[in-house]
Amino acid sequence: MTWWQNSVVYQVYPRSFADSNGDGVGDIGGIRAHLDHIASLGADVIWLSPVYPSPQDDNGYDISDYQDIDPVFGTLAEFDLLLAEVHERGMKLVMDLVVNHTSDEHPWFVESRSSKDSPKREWYLWRPEPTNWQSVFSGSAWELDEATGEYYLHLFSRKQPDLNWENPALRQEIYRMMRWWLDRGVDGFRMDVINLISKGELVDGPPIPGTPYGDGSASFVNGPRVHEYLQEMHSEVFAGRPALLTVGEMPGVPLEEARLFTDPARREVDMVFQFEHVCLDQGPGGKFDTHPLRLTDLKKSLGRWQTGLADVGWNSLYWNNHDQPRVVSRFGDDSPEFRRDSATCLATLLHLHRGTPYVYQGEELGMANSPFASVSDFRDIESLNYYSFALGSGASPETVLKGLCAAGRDNARTPMQWSSEPHAGFSSVPPWIGVNPDYLEWNASAQYGDTWSVFSHYQRLIRLRRELPVVSLGDFTMLLPEDERVYAFERSLGDARLVVMCNVSGEAVGVSSAGALVLGNMPDPEDGVLRAWEARVHWAV
Ligand code: GLC
């Protein structure tokens, strides 16, 4: 077994975690002040979203210097202190690696755009004519640069030009930078959109209805050389080091490809973030066109990944991250009656699967989507761009706002709710994005020590994984695949057999009896019945 196979990862989004210097933006000092929160939850690893120097066009996913810390977050010296304090608590720290693109203010791009003969011209993707591709953040994926009259590719914002991985000198420079962080003591990398780094032919894609653009994904999702690049990265950066954690974020990765990416024999990455289960509530209009989840769709999807990565590879398990709306609002029920119950039910469902669970800051408190009232409440470039493009193509502001409220990334980015103090104890001044007004009731202080709080339940789930090898390593068998309310499965390892039953609905249901109770999300369980949003783990009889 590798150490991360019974580990739980906690994601910190620094801007929104805790502000220590009173500028309304979270920072490294704030993380250091709250490390005991993460340690007491029981997490083994912290994944830190980007803290590098950045113009913050995409909140740090637009990096202008890979080997320093943005002053808004602190200094390298403070980072070293953070790393030491994480290690002192027996935890590990994984950095975000954003190397599909840089900021347009990175010196490489400044040099690249300066002339067609620049030695760094080839480090980015320049063309005399654009393709029809749409950017992930709306509009064209190409930007005309006046200086040389050519277009550069940016799959995300125009301030995030894509790097050209075909260039061997660029690749070596990236590997060198990664070794520099590992030498500093970090324990691995979460690799941003890493399955987009290899571009195939830059040709027009099929038209996207309702837009003047085309879908170029066939040219860059899991492109022709991506496995080769990851193998090269492995041998240049990771080989010969103690076991690190590498997780590739891979939008659009099919299961068959994920098996290749995570097969240990191939030496690419340890696990991937796949997106199938977080797309199940999307309609034909894309991510902002949401509909309620069908439980049988979720079972089909998660069940297929459990089986598909059983004999080879490994799953990462997540509901939330800084790009996803809050799960209690999305797949649970955040009304006062069921908020705690549905948050703990969904947590149980996920954490009893086989794989490495990821907890996103605030998820362990049952933090919910924010009641954004107008577009001026949003900060995220994806949401703001989408709003203006959708309105420009004739959509009504009400419809667009409804989509943003349901699926916008800012739902994940409202400040961490530490206490009922002003600004939720996040900052001494009004934060960069509004605090969810529910913080008076929903905050960390109110939950510590309360046996039935969401926080305490996450503690128990994390402890259970550490204590029972069947939770981390056991085989997975889906039960009741056609049931629209009960999500049930069995885990087995040798003689140990667990039955997990989750009522993913607001009404009680009858279930068959099982053996001794291992863990439940409510007091006083009754044999044969699961109350609304009740989740239980039993030994099998
Ligand atoms: C990833 C990040 C997201 C970012 C995008 C571009 O999907 O998770 O936050 O906007 O890549 O870097």
Side-chain angles (χ1 to χ4, degrees):
M1 187 175 91
T2 316
W3 65 266
W4 38 258
Q5 288 187 300
N6 68 352
S7 294
V8 173
V9 183
Y10 186 91
Q11 183 191 353
V12 170
Y13 191 68
R15 258 190 117 65
S16 306
F17 193 64
D19 169 22
S20 70
N21 65 351
D23 63 358
V25 180
D27 48 42
I28 291 179
I31 305 171
R32 291 177 57 207
H34 289 282
L35 279 183
D36 287 334
H37 173 84
I38 306 172
S40 74
L41 185 65
D44 306 270
V45 183
I46 295 176
W47 147 27
L48 191 60
S49 277
V51 285
Y52 316 97
S54 161
Q56 305 288 333
D57 186 56
D58 185 20
N59 290 358
Y61 282 89
D62 48 319
I63 298 172
S64 53
D65 179 353
Y66 286 111
Q67 293 180 221
D68 205 346
I69 301 293
D70 195 295
V72 82
F73 297 126
T75 62
L76 256 184
E78 269 183 286
F79 173 83
D80 288 339
L81 290 174
L82 169 69
L83 185 58
E85 289 163 358
V86 168
H87 287 160
E88 267 164 36
R89 284 167 177 78
M91 298 188 291
K92 297 181 189 277
L93 187 85
V94 162
M95 298 295 274
D96 220 303
L97 179 81
V98 188
V99 290
N100 173 68
H101 44 267
T102 65
S103 163
D104 65 336
E105 298 180 33
H106 193 292
W108 298 344
F109 188 72
V110 173
E111 200 177 324
S112 183
R113 81 185 332 174
S114 66
S115 93
K116 285 187 186 167
D117 313 319
S118 151
K120 295 231 163 42
R121 188 68 171 179
E122 296 300 314
W123 285 33
Y124 294 84
L125 292 144
W126 293 96
R127 292 292 180 274
E129 294 298 329
T131 62
N132 68 351
W133 300 356
Q134 185 178 41
S135 142
V136 177
F137 292 162
S138 303
S140 170
W142 294 89
E143 182 77 5
L144 177 64
D145 195 45
E146 300 292 345
T148 55
E150 288 194 329
Y151 295 79
Y152 64 87
L153 177 67
H154 60 90
L155 294 182
F156 295 89
S157 123
R158 64 163 70 99
K159 287 186 66 63
Q160 292 168 301
D162 279 55
L163 286 164
N164 176 17
W165 273 70
E166 297 276 333
N167 186 291
L170 160 79
R171 299 205 300 276
Q172 286 306 322
E173 194 53 27
I174 289 172
Y175 304 148
R176 196 192 54 70
M177 172 273 285
M178 293 172 73
R179 289 191 296 263
W180 183 86
W181 282 105
L182 293 177
D183 292 344
R184 223 175 175 91
V186 311
D187 303 291
F189 295 100
R190 172 268 185 189
M191 305 175 183
D192 195 65
V193 291
I194 201 71
N195 64 329
L196 310 187
I197 59 177
S198 166
K199 272 72 177 178
E201 264 192 279
L202 308 185
V203 291
D204 282 355
I208 303 174
T211 76
Y213 303 108
D215 173 6
S217 56
S219 297
F220 56 78
V221 174
N222 310 313
R225 297 182 67 188
V226 63
H227 292 285
E228 174 197 333
Y229 294 152
L230 287 177
Q231 287 171 9
E232 180 183 79
M233 177 190 285
H234 193 284
S235 70
E236 294 283 332
V237 180
F238 304 125
R241 301 205 182 238
L244 300 157
L245 187 156
T246 57
V247 48
E249 188 210 21
M250 301 200 177
V253 67
L255 177 54
E256 278 315 308
E257 284 287 321
R259 283 171 61 90
L260 300 178
F261 283 118
T262 64
D263 177 351
R266 293 172 56 91
R267 298 197 163 82
E268 298 184 21
V269 290
D270 297 325
M271 56 191 111
V272 304
F273 289 129
Q274 57 94 5
F275 283 72
E276 207 176 273
H277 65 301
V278 290
C279 293
L280 295 174
D281 59 349
Q282 292 176 6
K287 93 171 251 186
F288 295 110
D289 172 23
T290 60
H291 57 68
L293 173 76
R294 271 181 62 149
L295 192 65
T296 44
D297 289 344
L298 183 69
K299 292 181 189 183
K300 262 187 225 116
S301 171
L302 290 182
R304 211 167 59 82
W305 282 83
Q306 288 287 301
T307 314
L309 294 181
D311 59 331
V312 69
W314 190 250
N315 270 293
S316 45
L317 308 170
Y318 74 97
W319 290 131
N320 275 122
N321 58 41
H322 63 290
D323 296 329
Q324 300 293 331
R326 294 284 181 177
V327 71
V328 67
S329 307
R330 183 184 197 177
F331 298 152
D333 180 343
D334 63 10
S335 68
E337 190 183 5
F338 290 129
R339 179 155 165 190
R340 192 216 69 94
D341 298 345
S342 64
T344 51
C345 177
L346 291 168
T348 313
L349 191 166
L350 190 79
H351 279 245
L352 266 294
H353 278 68
R354 185 172 191 264
T356 299
Y358 287 72
V359 179
Y360 176 69
Q361 66 186 42
E363 181 184 339
E364 76 282 18
L365 306 175
M367 274 179 65
N369 283 355
S370 208
F372 300 115
S374 92
V375 68
S376 64
D377 293 337
F378 288 87
R379 298 286 176 273
D380 175 23
I381 181 168
E382 180 188 48
S383 292
L384 298 175
N385 283 2
Y386 174 73
Y387 187 85
S388 37
F389 277 93
L391 257 53
S393 21
S396 80
E398 295 73 31
T399 311
V400 179
L401 194 62
K402 196 164 158 262
L404 293 185
C405 286
R409 306 194 297 181
D410 279 334
N411 284 302
R413 302 175 180 186
T414 61
M416 182 72 176
Q417 293 166 207
W418 293 108
S419 70
S420 56
E421 309 274 293
H423 315 302
F426 164 81
S427 173
S428 54
V429 301
W432 67 278
I433 184 171
V435 174
N436 190 324
D438 68 14
Y439 76 94
L440 289 171
E441 191 185 347
W442 289 88
N443 62 69
S445 293
Q447 297 196 19
Y448 297 141
D450 167 359
T451 312
W452 295 105
S453 71
V454 181
F455 183 81
S456 301
H457 191 71
Y458 269 87
Q459 282 181 314
R460 282 191 290 273
L461 287 171
I462 293 173
R463 205 178 312 130
L464 194 67
R465 172 169 299 268
R466 197 85 36 69
E467 285 167 359
L468 298 182
V470 60
V471 175
S472 44
L473 297 175
D475 291 342
F476 178 99
T477 309
M478 190 69 81
L479 307 171
L480 311 175
E482 305 302 331
D483 197 301
E484 287 293 355
R485 289 182 297 180
V486 180
Y487 192 117
F489 51 96
E490 188 180 284
R491 302 290 312 280
S492 62
L493 185 71
D495 293 341
R497 277 170 60 215
L498 289 177
V499 176
V500 182
M501 306 185 287
C502 306
N503 181 359
V504 188
S505 87
E507 282 155 38
V509 291
V511 285
S512 46
S513 304
L517 183 70
V518 178
L519 181 147
N521 70 336
M522 295 179 190
D524 310 320
E526 259 178 75
D527 195 32
V529 182
L530 283 180
R531 287 163 284 180
W533 295 104
E534 185 168 7
R536 302 214 301 253
V537 183
H538 289 269
W539 291 113
V541 278

